[in-house]
Amino acid sequence: MPANRRGRRLVQAAVAGALALVMTATACTGAGQIEEGVPADLDVAPGVTDDSVVIGAHHPLTGPAAPGYLSISRGASAVFDYINEQGGVNGREIDFRAEDDAYDPSMTIDVTRELVIRDEIFAMMGGLGTPTHSGVIDYLNEEGVPDVFPSSGALAWNNTDVHPLTYGWQTDYTKEAKVQGEYIAEHFPGQSVGYLYQNDDVGVDSQAGLDQYLEEDVVARQHYESDVTDLSAQIAELDRAGADVVVCSCIPAFTAMGMLEASRIGFDPQWMVSSIGGDTATLQGLLQEFTSDTAAEGTPADAFLEDTLVTSYIPRVEDTEDEWAQFFRDVYEEYGGEDPITNTHIFGMSQAVMFAQALKSAGPDLTRQALVDALETEEWRGPGFVPFASSDGDHGGHEGVFVVQHQLDGTQDWVQEARVTDREDGPIEQVEDFDRAMPDELEFHD
């Protein structure tokens, strides 16, 4: 066992029974689609006045998924408040209305209808979740509502023939998993690999990428249902199969639960966690919460996270050198809430910056068509570390990821530079000479 992994062994005895008090994670999936309608004219501007523009979103503000994802809307709101205080975008303040769907697809349908019909939103920005947003993507496109930057890496957001008004944002699950698979194959050659994944598009799309590099090394594939919080059977099977490396394509609550259960039974794999569940700042809070009133109470969260590998594509809150990370910390300190800033906040803040960038490019004579034109022609330069695709025929969003490794002292080492790829079987290439804009270069009003 590598010396820097021995710390986790020391906490395993303390975590026996630590999962007795684990919060429920996410709600059900499988709601029906909204009935199809007739495409609307884009040369319109609902929600737009001379001094404001109404933007909508659906997020889990309450309920079981809120601890992992509530921070996204809070981060976006902080950036929009900052921009509004600077004069808004082209003289208009952004009225951001994030409605609570509790990560329940049936509620997503209801709140989306309300946003479109009652609030007359100009656009949807950052609607969260694969099972939730899948139920409203048809409706938004048919109603002519620009569906900008869904908070999910599903491949469905980049299907311009079927959903021309939907524009992906985060690196899709297959691209991210390809980079993960190549990294594992290069750095852990010959070791047995196990998959733990959410039983929806997250799992399907992630395995499609991982298997390109790891299929012959896989000894176990274990899925979880998002409304069942007991992972004991899945973790036991990964242990029984002898997985040396576990790739967790999981949302934060299940990442934390998986780590706790593994530690409880003395299973000590190398964890590789995707960006959707790899916000280590959020995981620290969840691990503390899940071990409260258990035998493991008081065990430092970083003892569970030590050596965890995480893929990402935007600034990390732990990075003290990055200008964007510092900008977001400063903005959140002034405009955010009382909860500490996490990488999940930065996810929403990065989305908000890029949406405002497109809104600025759409010009003062704002229509939905003008926004669409801006989204497809924008020369994206912003917080991300990888190129961003948003053009006619390709709405794929961020095109790759980098890899960091979490240390026992809470710091993170950047162990692989950003790499990009496609969602098919194309090569993985290192990003060279990428031109990121810095925060002081962006202006949102004339």
Side-chain angles (χ1 to χ4, degrees):
M1 182 191 312
N4 64 344
R5 292 178 62 194
R6 292 173 185 161
R8 283 209 302 264
R9 284 293 191 189
L10 299 177
V11 304
Q12 285 167 355
V15 300
L19 300 180
L21 296 177
V22 175
M23 70 171 204
T24 302
T26 58
C28 63
T29 63
Q33 303 285 314
I34 291 178
E35 184 179 355
E36 294 185 1
V38 178
D41 183 5
L42 296 182
D43 289 321
V44 295
V48 177
T49 69
D50 290 341
D51 54 14
S52 69
V53 52
V54 180
I55 307 301
H58 61 84
H59 282 263
L61 307 182
T62 62
Y69 293 130
L70 172 62
S71 301
I72 293 178
S73 59
R74 289 181 175 175
S77 294
V79 166
F80 287 145
D81 287 346
Y82 164 80
I83 291 173
N84 289 343
E85 190 164 296
Q86 310 306 309
V89 179
N90 293 325
R92 293 186 178 92
E93 291 191 355
I94 297 175
D95 181 355
F96 180 54
R97 303 182 185 183
E99 296 294 334
D100 183 19
D101 68 359
Y103 206 68
D104 179 339
S106 62
M107 290 184 62
T108 306
I109 292 172
D110 292 339
V111 301
T112 298
R113 284 190 184 278
E114 291 175 359
L115 286 166
V116 172
I117 298 172
R118 179 196 65 196
D119 294 359
E120 296 186 305
I121 59 171
F122 176 69
M124 177 76 81
M125 198 287 288
L128 187 142
T130 300
T132 45
H133 200 70
S134 295
V136 297
I137 185 173
D138 287 343
Y139 175 71
L140 291 169
N141 277 261
E142 290 155 7
E143 290 296 311
V145 181
D147 180 20
V148 186
F149 305 159
S151 299
S152 159
L155 303 184
W157 317 146
N158 186 17
N159 189 344
T160 57
D161 290 337
V162 179
H163 301 123
L165 299 184
T166 297
Y167 294 81
W169 188 80
Q170 72 183 67
T171 305
D172 76 46
Y173 301 132
T174 300
K175 291 176 184 176
E176 181 172 14
K178 283 177 65 176
V179 177
Q180 291 178 323
E182 182 193 57
Y183 184 92
I184 292 168
E186 290 180 351
H187 292 83
F188 305 93
Q191 297 198 25
S192 298
V193 178
Y195 297 165
L196 178 64
Y197 56 90
Q198 187 160 292
N199 193 26
D200 56 19
D201 285 0
V202 174
V204 173
D205 296 346
S206 295
Q207 289 179 88
L210 292 167
D211 281 348
Q212 292 188 34
Y213 295 87
L214 302 174
E215 188 168 17
E216 294 183 358
D217 300 318
V218 177
V219 294
R221 300 171 187 262
Q222 293 294 304
H223 71 264
Y224 67 83
E225 302 295 339
S226 58
D227 57 348
V228 180
T229 59
D230 182 3
L231 291 180
S232 57
Q234 292 93 325
I235 298 299
E237 179 57 26
L238 289 166
D239 185 23
R240 186 205 64 77
D244 301 306
V245 180
V246 172
V247 185
C248 189
S249 304
C250 317
I251 65 173
F254 283 87
T255 302
M257 287 187 286
M259 289 179 170
L260 285 173
E261 176 62 20
S263 187
R264 186 186 71 81
I265 66 173
F267 176 42
D268 187 31
Q270 170 65 59
W271 290 91
M272 168 70 85
V273 182
S274 63
S275 59
I276 63 168
D279 177 1
T280 45
T282 293
L283 290 173
Q284 288 168 334
L286 289 170
L287 288 163
Q288 290 176 356
E289 180 177 348
F290 292 172
T291 56
S292 178
D293 296 326
T294 73
E297 184 172 18
T299 303
D302 288 326
F304 301 102
L305 294 169
E306 184 184 9
D307 289 332
T308 295
L309 295 163
V310 178
T311 41
S312 189
Y313 48 93
I314 54 177
R316 305 282 299 181
V317 71
E318 298 90 352
D319 191 339
T320 59
E321 303 296 326
D322 185 71
E323 290 186 40
W324 275 105
Q326 185 59 55
F327 171 75
F328 288 139
R329 286 191 294 266
D330 291 343
V331 168
Y332 191 75
E333 182 176 356
E334 183 170 357
Y335 298 94
E338 296 181 357
D339 50 321
I341 187 172
T342 67
N343 291 301
T344 308
H345 289 95
I346 287 182
F347 180 103
M349 299 175 92
S350 298
Q351 278 184 325
V353 164
M354 294 181 68
F355 180 83
Q357 188 176 349
L359 206 61
K360 172 65 164 59
S361 297
D365 298 326
L366 189 58
T367 65
R368 285 174 168 169
Q369 185 63 60
L371 177 62
V372 166
D373 292 343
L375 287 164
E376 300 207 349
T377 59
E378 181 69 38
E379 295 182 5
W380 297 101
R381 297 177 66 241
F385 286 90
V386 297
F388 188 87
S390 179
S391 61
D392 184 17
D394 186 357
H395 296 177
H398 289 93
E399 297 183 321
V401 291
F402 56 88
V403 185
V404 297
Q405 187 167 43
H406 195 78
Q407 303 302 315
L408 184 59
D409 62 1
T411 62
Q412 294 188 354
D413 291 339
W414 194 304
V415 296
Q416 180 171 279
E417 296 297 319
R419 297 185 180 184
V420 297
T421 188
D422 61 15
R423 63 185 188 184
E424 306 300 335
D425 58 359
I428 296 174
E429 301 175 334
Q430 183 164 317
V431 176
E432 302 286 353
D433 302 320
F434 182 60
D435 185 21
R436 295 172 75 209
M438 290 297 107
D440 59 3
E441 297 180 49
L442 298 181
E443 296 182 359
F444 299 108
H445 60 281
D446 295 326

